[in-house]
């Protein structure tokens, strides 16, 4: 998982650290690439019906947040735990578990992590835009540590991220 931040650069979380590299380097390092888009729709009408400025501002916020994380450590334990958290917090919601005590964290809004795994970095970038409500930010479903890379591609992130294709 990586965030395209413009001018041919991406930011991703890999074992040891969050780094900023050229897109070409990413393509050389991976045997397959899954491409998603924020928002899922190729047009602006799914999330920002009449506000291209808001769309652009949110893209800038995502890139700025990603830039601020460069150099932070990789979270290997978080990556390992994300499989179970995705099962409990994401897949369970898709199966219809709507018990309010299950959906919400008691501790409130999630703090910015001090280290990241790849899909968590992507999720945190989205969380730092204006597309989620305060209530959504407190829900387990929207917490950044609850998605694996496969889950992010398969389940998306509500209507914010969706699979475009493979390279």
């Amino acid at each position: 998982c990586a965030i395209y931040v413009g001018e041919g650069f991406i930011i991703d979380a890999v074992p040891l650290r969050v780094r900023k590299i050229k897109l070409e380097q990413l393509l050389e390092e991976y045997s397959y690439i899954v491409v998603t888009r924020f928002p899922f729709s190729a047009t602006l009408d799914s999330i920002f019906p009449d506000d291209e400025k808001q769309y652009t501002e949110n893209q800038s916020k995502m890139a700025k947040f990603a830039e601020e994380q460069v150099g932070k450590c990789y979270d290997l334990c978080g990556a390992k735990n994300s499989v179970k958290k995705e099962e409990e917090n994401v897949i369970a919601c898709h199966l219809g578990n709507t018990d309010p005590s299950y959906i919400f964290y008691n501790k409130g809004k999630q703090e910015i992590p001090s280290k990241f795994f790849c899909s968590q970095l992507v999720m945190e970038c989205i969380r730092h835009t204006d597309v989620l409500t305060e209530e959504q930010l407190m829900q387990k479903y929207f917490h950044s540590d609850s998605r694996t890379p496969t889950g992010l591609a398969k389940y998306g992130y509500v209507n914010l991220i969706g699979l475009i294709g493979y390279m």
Side-chain angles (χ1 to χ4, degrees), residues 113-165:
S114 60
K115 51 189 176 179
F116 294 90
F117 55 93
C118 62
S119 52
Q120 181 182 32
L121 177 63
V122 171
M123 301 289 283
E124 274 299 317
C125 288
I126 295 169
R127 289 174 56 82
H128 285 83
T129 66
D130 296 327
V131 298
L132 298 175
T133 66
E134 287 297 316
E135 182 176 287
Q136 287 174 318
L137 289 170
M138 291 178 16
Q139 293 178 7
K140 290 180 181 181
Y141 185 88
F142 293 100
H143 274 229
S144 63
D145 60 357
S146 295
R147 290 291 200 296
T148 62
T150 302
L152 193 57
K154 182 175 182 178
Y155 298 107
Y157 196 46
V158 193
N159 64 339
L160 302 181
I161 290 183
L163 179 65
I164 300 296

Side-chain angles (χ1 to χ4, degrees), residues 3-21:
I3 295 285
Y4 182 78
V5 293
E7 299 183 17
F9 284 94
I10 63 94
I11 294 175
D12 66 352
V14 295
L16 294 193
R17 72 190 184 297
V18 176
R19 65 185 181 163
K20 182 177 181 179
I21 60 171

Side-chain angles (χ1 to χ4, degrees), residues 2-127:
I3 295 285
Y4 182 78
V5 293
E7 299 183 17
F9 284 94
I10 63 94
I11 294 175
D12 66 352
V14 295
L16 294 193
R17 72 190 184 297
V18 176
R19 65 185 181 163
K20 182 177 181 179
I21 60 171
K22 292 292 254 176
L23 178 60
E24 291 83 14
Q25 182 178 342
L26 178 82
L27 296 173
E28 289 172 6
E29 291 179 7
Y30 292 91
S31 56
Y32 72 94
I33 303 289
V34 176
V35 179
T36 61
R37 182 174 175 95
F38 168 81
F40 175 59
S41 173
T43 65
L44 301 178
D45 58 358
S46 66
I47 297 174
F48 308 110
D50 300 312
D51 198 349
E52 186 170 347
K53 180 182 176 196
Q54 183 67 43
Y55 177 79
T56 303
E57 286 175 5
N58 280 317
Q59 285 182 318
S60 296
K61 287 178 182 181
M62 287 176 64
K64 181 179 184 293
F65 179 82
E67 294 272 2
E68 292 168 352
Q69 309 319 306
V70 172
K72 287 190 176 180
C73 293
Y74 183 79
D75 188 0
L76 181 59
C77 290
K80 289 178 181 180
N81 290 334
S82 68
V83 175
K84 178 128 177 76
K85 287 184 176 185
E86 182 174 74
E87 181 182 304
E88 294 172 348
N89 301 334
V90 178
I91 296 170
C93 288
H94 285 271
L95 295 176
N97 186 341
T98 56
D99 176 9
S101 64
Y102 179 85
I103 294 174
F104 290 95
Y105 273 104
N106 293 328
K107 62 183 178 184
K109 190 174 178 180
Q110 184 182 20
E111 298 297 320
I112 296 173
S114 60
K115 51 189 176 179
F116 294 90
F117 55 93
C118 62
S119 52
Q120 181 182 32
L121 177 63
V122 171
M123 301 289 283
E124 274 299 317
C125 288
I126 295 169
R127 289 174 56 82

